[in-house]
Amino acid sequence: STPEKPVLLNNIADSEAFVSGAEVAVIGFFQDPQSPEAEQFRLAAGQIAEVPFGLSSSAAVLSHYGASANTVALFRRVDNDRRDLDMNNRDVDAKKLTRFVRMNELRLVTEYDPVTAIGVMQSSLELNLLLITDKMSPKHPERMRKFRAAAELYKGKILFILLDTNLESNERVVSYFQLKKSQLPALAIFHTPDDEHDVLTLDEISIERVQDFCNRFLQ
C-alpha cells in the first residue's frame, strides 16, 4: 500500500525531516487545507509517484519557511535550492503544478530531456558533468551506479547529468561536443558562464576516472 499523499506536516521538526529525507521534496503551504488550490495540489501529488509531497497549514511552519498561504515550494538537495510557485493565481492547476515539479526536480543525477533542460539551465551550479551514453546498453545499470556514486562526492559543486543518445532531441548536444556515436560512452564537463568544456571518451566508467576528470577541470 502506498503512503497517503500528501503527508500532513504539523510542525517545524516534521517539515525539516521531510525536506532533508529526500533528494527532491515538495511542500504545499495552505491556510485552508480544503481550499480549491489545495485540492489541485492533491491531484498533482497523486500523479507524481516518486516525489514526496507534504502539506502544511501550520502558521509556525509557514513562518519558518517564509511562505505565504497558497504557495508550493520545491526543495532540492543537489544544489541546496528552493523554487516557489504561487497558487493564488487562478489558472495554476494540477497540470501546471506537475510541470513545475518536473521542470525543477534536479537530482544527484538528472536525466536530460526537453522538460528537465529548463531546470538544468536555471540551476545555481555553474558546472555540469554529462554522461553521454546509450541507456539501452546492458552495461547501463553498472555505469549509472558508478556515476551516481561519483555524484555524491560533488554535491553542491557539479550537476551530474545523464544524456541518453537514443533521444532525438539530444543529438544537438552530442554534436556540440563533436562526438561521434563510435566514441561513446563519453564524459563531457561544461562551465556555463564561459562555455569552457572538456570531453573524455571511455570504454568503461569508474568512480576514480570521473573524479580525476572533474578534478583536472576544476584545477
Side-chain angles (χ1 to χ4, degrees):
S1 71
T2 52
E4 192 55 42
K5 282 186 90 168
V7 177
L8 292 180
L9 304 167
N10 298 319
N11 57 57
I12 294 168
D14 285 356
S15 308
E16 289 191 331
F18 179 79
V19 169
S20 62
E23 276 198 56
V24 178
V26 177
I27 300 182
F29 300 101
F30 299 101
Q31 256 167 345
D32 174 9
Q34 304 310 323
S35 67
E37 292 85 3
E39 207 36 63
Q40 291 298 315
F41 179 75
R42 283 191 185 86
L43 282 173
Q47 286 164 15
I48 307 179
E50 67 283 18
V51 177
F53 277 64
L55 188 150
S56 187
S57 17
S58 145
V61 173
L62 266 75
S63 155
H64 176 72
Y65 287 103
S68 47
N70 296 339
T71 299
V72 173
L74 178 142
F75 300 86
R76 51 187 199 212
R77 218 169 64 193
V78 64
D79 57 358
N80 224 345
D81 205 357
R82 165 180 163 179
R83 300 282 152 130
D84 286 11
L85 179 70
D86 184 1
M87 295 280 292
N88 287 307
N89 188 336
R90 278 282 163 249
D91 56 337
V92 174
D93 56 9
K95 194 176 167 191
K96 288 208 169 132
L97 181 53
T98 302
R99 184 171 164 75
F100 165 77
V101 173
R102 286 287 179 231
M103 229 164 67
N104 289 292
E105 57 165 339
L106 298 185
R107 298 167 177 276
L108 273 175
V109 175
T110 298
E111 185 164 348
Y112 191 86
D113 62 36
V115 178
T116 60
I118 300 164
V120 166
M121 285 164 192
Q122 293 175 346
S123 166
S124 57
L125 297 180
E126 295 183 337
L127 280 169
N128 295 342
L129 179 72
L130 286 73
L131 170 60
I132 303 169
T133 188
D134 173 3
K135 261 179 83 178
M136 301 299 191
S137 160
K139 294 178 174 177
H140 180 69
E142 184 57 17
R143 279 177 191 150
M144 269 308 280
R145 192 183 66 73
K146 290 173 179 165
F147 193 59
R148 227 190 126 71
E152 284 276 3
L153 306 172
Y154 293 95
K155 205 161 49 198
K157 289 196 193 109
I158 300 175
L159 190 61
F160 277 56
I161 297 164
L162 168 69
L163 194 95
D164 181 15
T165 50
N166 296 300
L167 266 190
E168 217 171 283
S169 57
N170 286 340
E171 283 172 7
R172 219 165 37 103
V173 184
V174 179
S175 66
Y176 173 82
F177 291 111
Q178 298 175 336
L179 286 163
K180 300 186 190 75
K181 275 264 164 86
S182 59
Q183 294 174 292
L184 301 174
L187 291 174
I189 196 161
F190 186 85
H191 185 237
T192 48
D194 57 11
D195 291 353
E196 197 182 325
H197 60 273
D198 193 9
V199 176
L200 174 70
T201 59
L202 31 85
D203 302 325
E204 270 334 303
I205 248 189
S206 72
I207 299 166
E208 295 71 30
R209 289 195 81 175
V210 175
Q211 270 185 284
D212 186 48
F213 182 58
C214 290
N215 292 345
R216 272 210 322 270
F217 191 81
L218 286 168
Q219 279 161 12

